[in-house]
Short mmCIF file of all heavy atoms in Angstrom, two decimals:
data_model
loop_
_atom_site.label_atom_id
_atom_site.label_comp_id
_atom_site.label_asym_id
_atom_site.label_seq_id
_atom_site.Cartn_x
_atom_site.Cartn_y
_atom_site.Cartn_z
N VAL A 29 5.62 3.01 -15.01
CA VAL A 29 4.59 2.85 -15.95
C VAL A 29 3.20 2.73 -15.37
O VAL A 29 2.27 2.93 -16.17
CB VAL A 29 4.96 1.57 -16.78
CG1 VAL A 29 6.25 1.62 -17.52
CG2 VAL A 29 4.93 0.27 -15.88
N ASP A 30 3.12 2.52 -14.05
CA ASP A 30 1.92 2.28 -13.49
C ASP A 30 1.49 3.18 -12.26
O ASP A 30 0.37 3.15 -11.64
CB ASP A 30 1.49 0.79 -12.99
CG ASP A 30 0.76 0.05 -14.14
OD1 ASP A 30 0.21 0.65 -15.03
OD2 ASP A 30 0.74 -1.15 -14.08
N GLY A 31 2.46 4.06 -11.82
CA GLY A 31 2.19 4.84 -10.67
C GLY A 31 2.45 4.21 -9.35
O GLY A 31 3.21 3.20 -9.43
N PRO A 32 1.71 4.58 -8.27
CA PRO A 32 1.92 4.02 -6.96
C PRO A 32 1.77 2.57 -6.97
O PRO A 32 0.94 2.02 -7.72
CB PRO A 32 0.88 4.77 -6.15
CG PRO A 32 0.47 5.98 -7.00
CD PRO A 32 0.73 5.67 -8.37
N LEU A 33 2.48 1.98 -6.02
CA LEU A 33 2.41 0.54 -5.89
C LEU A 33 1.09 -0.12 -5.32
O LEU A 33 0.66 -1.09 -5.75
CB LEU A 33 3.53 -0.03 -4.89
CG LEU A 33 4.89 0.06 -5.44
CD1 LEU A 33 5.88 -0.47 -4.30
CD2 LEU A 33 5.05 -0.61 -6.78
N ALA A 34 0.47 0.80 -4.58
CA ALA A 34 -0.92 0.38 -4.00
C ALA A 34 -1.75 1.67 -3.96
O ALA A 34 -1.38 2.62 -3.34
CB ALA A 34 -0.65 -0.33 -2.67
N GLU A 35 -2.97 1.47 -4.30
CA GLU A 35 -4.06 2.38 -4.25
C GLU A 35 -5.34 1.61 -3.67
O GLU A 35 -5.51 0.61 -4.11
CB GLU A 35 -4.23 3.19 -5.47
CG GLU A 35 -3.13 4.05 -5.81
CD GLU A 35 -3.48 5.09 -6.95
OE1 GLU A 35 -4.28 4.55 -7.86
OE2 GLU A 35 -2.99 6.18 -7.09
N VAL A 36 -6.04 2.46 -3.01
CA VAL A 36 -7.37 2.04 -2.63
C VAL A 36 -8.44 2.92 -3.23
O VAL A 36 -8.46 4.08 -2.74
CB VAL A 36 -7.49 1.93 -1.07
CG1 VAL A 36 -9.00 1.37 -0.69
CG2 VAL A 36 -6.50 1.01 -0.49
N ARG A 37 -9.21 2.51 -4.26
CA ARG A 37 -10.19 3.25 -4.84
C ARG A 37 -9.54 4.67 -5.38
O ARG A 37 -10.15 5.70 -5.10
CB ARG A 37 -11.30 3.56 -3.95
CG ARG A 37 -12.05 2.31 -3.66
CD ARG A 37 -13.35 2.56 -2.62
NE ARG A 37 -13.35 3.86 -2.01
CZ ARG A 37 -12.78 4.01 -0.82
NH1 ARG A 37 -12.27 3.16 -0.15
NH2 ARG A 37 -12.87 5.23 -0.15
N GLY A 38 -8.24 4.60 -5.81
CA GLY A 38 -7.69 5.73 -6.29
C GLY A 38 -7.01 6.60 -5.30
O GLY A 38 -6.35 7.60 -5.51
N LEU A 39 -7.05 6.21 -3.92
CA LEU A 39 -6.32 6.87 -2.91
C LEU A 39 -5.10 6.19 -2.47
O LEU A 39 -5.15 4.88 -2.45
CB LEU A 39 -7.38 7.11 -1.73
CG LEU A 39 -8.60 7.88 -1.85
CD1 LEU A 39 -9.47 7.79 -0.75
CD2 LEU A 39 -8.20 9.36 -2.28
N ARG A 40 -4.23 6.96 -2.01
CA ARG A 40 -3.10 6.27 -1.27
C ARG A 40 -3.51 5.57 0.03
O ARG A 40 -4.51 6.18 0.69
CB ARG A 40 -1.92 7.28 -0.85
CG ARG A 40 -1.38 8.02 -2.21
CD ARG A 40 -0.47 7.13 -3.00
NE ARG A 40 0.04 7.76 -4.18
CZ ARG A 40 1.20 8.24 -4.28
NH1 ARG A 40 2.03 8.24 -3.29
NH2 ARG A 40 1.63 8.87 -5.43
N PRO A 41 -2.92 4.48 0.37
CA PRO A 41 -3.49 3.91 1.57
C PRO A 41 -3.60 4.66 2.97
O PRO A 41 -4.56 4.69 3.52
CB PRO A 41 -2.39 2.73 1.82
CG PRO A 41 -1.91 2.47 0.50
CD PRO A 41 -1.89 3.74 -0.24
N GLN A 42 -2.64 5.58 2.99
CA GLN A 42 -2.65 6.39 4.22
C GLN A 42 -3.82 7.59 4.22
O GLN A 42 -4.07 8.07 5.23
CB GLN A 42 -1.33 7.12 4.54
CG GLN A 42 -0.94 8.09 3.58
CD GLN A 42 -0.21 7.65 2.35
OE1 GLN A 42 -0.17 6.52 2.06
NE2 GLN A 42 0.41 8.53 1.61
N ASP A 43 -4.36 7.73 2.98
CA ASP A 43 -5.38 8.77 2.86
C ASP A 43 -6.79 8.15 2.92
O ASP A 43 -7.76 8.95 2.77
CB ASP A 43 -5.17 9.50 1.46
CG ASP A 43 -3.87 10.24 1.33
OD1 ASP A 43 -3.37 10.62 2.42
OD2 ASP A 43 -3.37 10.47 0.30
N THR A 44 -6.86 6.95 3.06
CA THR A 44 -8.18 6.23 3.32
C THR A 44 -8.69 6.43 4.75
O THR A 44 -7.79 6.69 5.73
CB THR A 44 -8.15 4.82 3.01
OG1 THR A 44 -7.31 4.10 3.88
CG2 THR A 44 -7.86 4.57 1.55
N ALA A 45 -9.85 6.56 4.96
CA ALA A 45 -10.54 6.71 6.26
C ALA A 45 -11.88 6.02 6.34
O ALA A 45 -12.66 6.14 5.37
CB ALA A 45 -10.74 8.14 6.70
N TYR A 46 -12.13 5.25 7.33
CA TYR A 46 -13.41 4.46 7.46
C TYR A 46 -13.91 4.68 8.86
O TYR A 46 -13.09 5.10 9.88
CB TYR A 46 -13.16 2.99 7.32
CG TYR A 46 -12.47 2.73 6.07
CD1 TYR A 46 -11.04 2.55 5.93
CD2 TYR A 46 -13.24 2.63 4.86
CE1 TYR A 46 -10.47 2.16 4.73
CE2 TYR A 46 -12.49 2.26 3.56
CZ TYR A 46 -11.19 2.20 3.61
OH TYR A 46 -10.65 1.93 2.43
N GLU A 47 -15.01 4.51 9.13
CA GLU A 47 -15.68 4.63 10.44
C GLU A 47 -16.18 3.21 10.94
O GLU A 47 -16.28 2.27 10.08
CB GLU A 47 -16.98 5.52 10.40
CG GLU A 47 -16.50 7.10 10.04
CD GLU A 47 -17.64 7.93 10.08
OE1 GLU A 47 -18.69 7.63 10.50
OE2 GLU A 47 -17.52 9.00 9.66
N GLY A 48 -16.43 3.17 12.18
CA GLY A 48 -16.97 1.82 12.69
C GLY A 48 -16.06 0.77 12.69
O GLY A 48 -14.85 0.86 12.94
N VAL A 49 -16.65 -0.35 12.19
CA VAL A 49 -15.85 -1.66 12.35
C VAL A 49 -14.62 -1.64 11.42
O VAL A 49 -13.62 -2.35 11.50
CB VAL A 49 -16.68 -2.85 11.94
CG1 VAL A 49 -17.67 -3.04 13.13
CG2 VAL A 49 -17.40 -2.79 10.66
N ALA A 50 -14.57 -0.76 10.36
CA ALA A 50 -13.46 -0.74 9.35
C ALA A 50 -12.54 0.39 9.67
O ALA A 50 -11.56 0.65 8.94
CB ALA A 50 -14.11 -0.43 7.99
N GLN A 51 -12.66 0.93 10.90
CA GLN A 51 -11.72 2.08 11.27
C GLN A 51 -10.17 1.84 11.16
O GLN A 51 -9.48 2.72 10.92
CB GLN A 51 -12.11 2.74 12.56
CG GLN A 51 -11.77 1.83 13.75
CD GLN A 51 -12.24 2.45 15.13
OE1 GLN A 51 -12.28 3.67 15.22
NE2 GLN A 51 -12.57 1.54 16.09
N HIS A 52 -9.86 0.57 11.46
CA HIS A 52 -8.46 0.21 11.44
C HIS A 52 -8.00 -0.34 10.04
O HIS A 52 -6.75 -0.58 9.90
CB HIS A 52 -8.19 -0.81 12.53
CG HIS A 52 -8.62 -0.37 13.96
ND1 HIS A 52 -7.88 0.63 14.55
CD2 HIS A 52 -9.56 -0.70 14.65
CE1 HIS A 52 -8.49 0.83 15.65
NE2 HIS A 52 -9.49 0.09 15.76
N LEU A 53 -8.86 -0.28 9.10
CA LEU A 53 -8.37 -0.80 7.78
C LEU A 53 -7.27 0.01 7.12
O LEU A 53 -6.54 -0.64 6.43
CB LEU A 53 -9.67 -0.97 6.83
CG LEU A 53 -9.72 -1.94 5.76
CD1 LEU A 53 -9.21 -3.30 6.12
CD2 LEU A 53 -11.09 -1.88 5.12
N PRO A 54 -7.23 1.28 7.19
CA PRO A 54 -6.17 1.98 6.57
C PRO A 54 -4.74 1.33 6.97
O PRO A 54 -3.77 1.40 6.23
CB PRO A 54 -6.27 3.31 7.10
CG PRO A 54 -7.73 3.63 7.24
CD PRO A 54 -8.17 2.21 7.81
N SER A 55 -4.51 1.00 8.31
CA SER A 55 -3.38 0.31 8.71
C SER A 55 -3.13 -0.87 7.92
O SER A 55 -1.92 -1.20 7.55
CB SER A 55 -3.38 -0.07 10.18
OG SER A 55 -3.60 1.15 10.93
N LEU A 56 -3.91 -1.80 7.59
CA LEU A 56 -3.79 -2.91 6.75
C LEU A 56 -3.40 -2.52 5.40
O LEU A 56 -2.39 -3.16 4.83
CB LEU A 56 -5.05 -3.74 6.82
CG LEU A 56 -4.97 -5.18 5.94
CD1 LEU A 56 -3.91 -6.06 6.83
CD2 LEU A 56 -6.26 -5.73 5.77
N TRP A 57 -4.03 -1.44 4.81
CA TRP A 57 -3.72 -1.08 3.42
C TRP A 57 -2.27 -0.61 3.36
O TRP A 57 -1.54 -0.81 2.47
CB TRP A 57 -4.62 -0.03 2.93
CG TRP A 57 -6.11 -0.44 2.71
CD1 TRP A 57 -7.15 0.41 2.87
CD2 TRP A 57 -6.60 -1.68 2.56
NE1 TRP A 57 -8.33 -0.27 2.65
CE2 TRP A 57 -8.08 -1.60 2.52
CE3 TRP A 57 -6.08 -3.00 2.36
CZ2 TRP A 57 -8.94 -2.61 2.32
CZ3 TRP A 57 -7.07 -4.08 2.17
CH2 TRP A 57 -8.36 -3.81 2.19
N VAL A 58 -1.84 0.12 4.40
CA VAL A 58 -0.44 0.58 4.52
C VAL A 58 0.55 -0.64 4.66
O VAL A 58 1.53 -0.58 3.97
CB VAL A 58 -0.32 1.56 5.69
CG1 VAL A 58 1.15 1.94 5.99
CG2 VAL A 58 -1.02 2.88 5.36
N ALA A 59 0.10 -1.56 5.44
CA ALA A 59 1.01 -2.79 5.56
C ALA A 59 1.15 -3.56 4.26
O ALA A 59 2.20 -3.97 3.84
CB ALA A 59 0.47 -3.76 6.57
N VAL A 60 0.04 -3.64 3.41
CA VAL A 60 0.06 -4.17 2.12
C VAL A 60 1.03 -3.58 1.22
O VAL A 60 1.90 -4.14 0.57
CB VAL A 60 -1.37 -4.33 1.53
CG1 VAL A 60 -1.23 -4.85 -0.01
CG2 VAL A 60 -2.28 -5.24 2.23
N ARG A 61 0.94 -2.17 1.29
CA ARG A 61 1.90 -1.40 0.41
C ARG A 61 3.37 -1.54 0.92
O ARG A 61 4.21 -1.77 0.02
CB ARG A 61 1.56 0.00 0.43
CG ARG A 61 2.48 0.84 -0.30
CD ARG A 61 2.30 2.34 -0.32
NE ARG A 61 2.40 2.82 1.01
CZ ARG A 61 1.97 4.05 1.42
NH1 ARG A 61 1.44 4.92 0.57
NH2 ARG A 61 1.94 4.45 2.69
N SER A 62 3.38 -1.59 2.18
CA SER A 62 4.79 -1.92 2.74
C SER A 62 5.52 -3.23 2.35
O SER A 62 6.66 -3.27 2.04
CB SER A 62 4.73 -1.72 4.24
OG SER A 62 6.04 -1.85 4.78
N SER A 63 4.62 -4.29 2.34
CA SER A 63 5.09 -5.55 1.88
C SER A 63 5.46 -5.57 0.39
O SER A 63 6.44 -6.21 0.13
CB SER A 63 3.98 -6.66 2.22
OG SER A 63 2.75 -6.54 1.42
N LEU A 64 4.65 -4.80 -0.41
CA LEU A 64 5.18 -4.74 -1.84
C LEU A 64 6.31 -3.98 -2.01
O LEU A 64 7.28 -4.46 -2.65
CB LEU A 64 4.02 -3.96 -2.66
CG LEU A 64 2.67 -4.71 -2.72
CD1 LEU A 64 1.62 -3.82 -3.38
CD2 LEU A 64 2.85 -5.99 -3.69
N ARG A 65 6.52 -2.85 -1.16
CA ARG A 65 7.77 -2.19 -1.17
C ARG A 65 9.02 -3.06 -0.83
O ARG A 65 10.13 -2.90 -1.36
CB ARG A 65 7.71 -0.95 -0.28
CG ARG A 65 6.96 0.08 -0.77
CD ARG A 65 6.87 1.23 0.33
NE ARG A 65 6.30 2.46 -0.16
CZ ARG A 65 5.89 3.42 0.56
NH1 ARG A 65 6.25 3.40 1.93
NH2 ARG A 65 5.28 4.53 0.20
N ASP A 66 8.75 -3.79 0.25
CA ASP A 66 9.79 -4.74 0.74
C ASP A 66 10.30 -5.75 -0.30
O ASP A 66 11.53 -6.00 -0.37
CB ASP A 66 9.25 -5.64 1.89
CG ASP A 66 10.41 -6.20 2.66
OD1 ASP A 66 11.55 -5.59 2.90
OD2 ASP A 66 10.23 -7.39 3.18
N VAL A 67 9.49 -6.21 -1.12
CA VAL A 67 10.03 -6.96 -2.26
C VAL A 67 10.48 -6.18 -3.42
O VAL A 67 11.53 -6.50 -3.93
CB VAL A 67 8.80 -8.01 -2.69
CG1 VAL A 67 9.19 -8.73 -4.00
CG2 VAL A 67 8.39 -8.96 -1.59
N LEU A 68 9.62 -5.28 -3.89
CA LEU A 68 9.98 -4.46 -5.27
C LEU A 68 11.12 -3.56 -5.10
O LEU A 68 11.71 -3.42 -5.96
CB LEU A 68 8.73 -3.88 -5.72
CG LEU A 68 7.58 -4.95 -6.11
CD1 LEU A 68 6.32 -4.21 -6.60
CD2 LEU A 68 8.09 -5.90 -7.18
N ASP A 69 11.21 -2.74 -3.94
CA ASP A 69 12.19 -1.91 -3.79
C ASP A 69 13.47 -2.36 -3.26
O ASP A 69 14.48 -1.70 -3.21
CB ASP A 69 11.65 -0.80 -2.74
CG ASP A 69 10.60 0.07 -3.45
OD1 ASP A 69 10.47 0.12 -4.68
OD2 ASP A 69 9.89 0.82 -2.76
N ARG A 70 13.47 -3.64 -2.96
CA ARG A 70 14.78 -4.22 -2.54
C ARG A 70 15.27 -5.33 -3.51
O ARG A 70 16.21 -6.14 -3.25
CB ARG A 70 14.65 -4.84 -1.20
CG ARG A 70 14.43 -3.79 -0.10
CD ARG A 70 14.18 -4.24 1.23
NE ARG A 70 15.17 -5.20 1.74
CZ ARG A 70 14.98 -5.87 2.81
NH1 ARG A 70 13.74 -5.94 3.52
NH2 ARG A 70 15.85 -6.66 3.13
N THR A 71 14.59 -5.41 -4.67
CA THR A 71 14.99 -6.40 -5.71
C THR A 71 15.33 -5.60 -6.96
O THR A 71 14.50 -4.83 -7.40
CB THR A 71 13.84 -7.35 -6.08
OG1 THR A 71 13.40 -7.97 -4.82
CG2 THR A 71 14.33 -8.36 -7.10
N THR A 72 16.65 -5.80 -7.44
CA THR A 72 17.03 -4.93 -8.62
C THR A 72 16.90 -5.73 -9.90
O THR A 72 16.73 -7.12 -9.87
CB THR A 72 18.56 -4.53 -8.44
OG1 THR A 72 19.38 -5.70 -8.47
CG2 THR A 72 18.71 -3.86 -7.21
N LEU A 73 17.12 -5.18 -11.03
CA LEU A 73 17.10 -5.78 -12.34
C LEU A 73 18.16 -6.88 -12.39
O LEU A 73 18.10 -7.94 -12.77
CB LEU A 73 17.34 -4.86 -13.51
CG LEU A 73 16.22 -3.83 -13.78
CD1 LEU A 73 16.61 -2.79 -14.79
CD2 LEU A 73 14.93 -4.57 -14.24
N ALA A 74 19.38 -6.45 -11.76
CA ALA A 74 20.49 -7.53 -11.67
C ALA A 74 20.11 -8.66 -11.00
O ALA A 74 20.57 -9.87 -11.40
CB ALA A 74 21.80 -6.72 -11.13
N ASP A 75 19.46 -8.51 -9.85
CA ASP A 75 19.01 -9.71 -9.09
C ASP A 75 18.17 -10.71 -9.84
O ASP A 75 18.48 -11.86 -9.86
CB ASP A 75 18.19 -9.21 -7.85
CG ASP A 75 18.91 -8.39 -6.81
OD1 ASP A 75 20.18 -8.57 -6.77
OD2 ASP A 75 18.23 -7.56 -6.11
N VAL A 76 17.22 -10.11 -10.56
CA VAL A 76 16.36 -10.89 -11.46
C VAL A 76 17.05 -11.57 -12.53
O VAL A 76 16.94 -12.77 -12.83
CB VAL A 76 15.03 -10.22 -11.88
CG1 VAL A 76 14.21 -11.03 -12.69
CG2 VAL A 76 14.28 -9.60 -10.57
#
């Protein structure tokens, strides 16, 4: 119903790119998405 679990300004986390002090931020966005997947993709309707 809502598309990808995590987007950053309409981009997939791995498709973001920054320069300078924010250059490592895409790794954090990927980690955020991974943590969402860890909860949402491992919890079924039956579990809830």
Side-chain angles (χ1 to χ4, degrees):
V29 298
D30 263 346
L33 292 180
E35 290 186 331
V36 180
R37 298 179 340 269
L39 297 173
R40 299 288 176 100
Q42 72 274 11
D43 295 334
T44 60
Y46 307 97
E47 294 182 14
V49 296
Q51 68 182 331
H52 302 291
L53 205 46
S55 295
L56 182 69
W57 298 153
V58 168
V60 168
R61 179 183 59 192
S62 181
S63 68
L64 291 170
R65 286 177 176 171
D66 192 40
V67 171
L68 298 174
D69 288 343
R70 293 175 56 196
T71 305
T72 68
L73 291 174
D75 296 333
V76 177

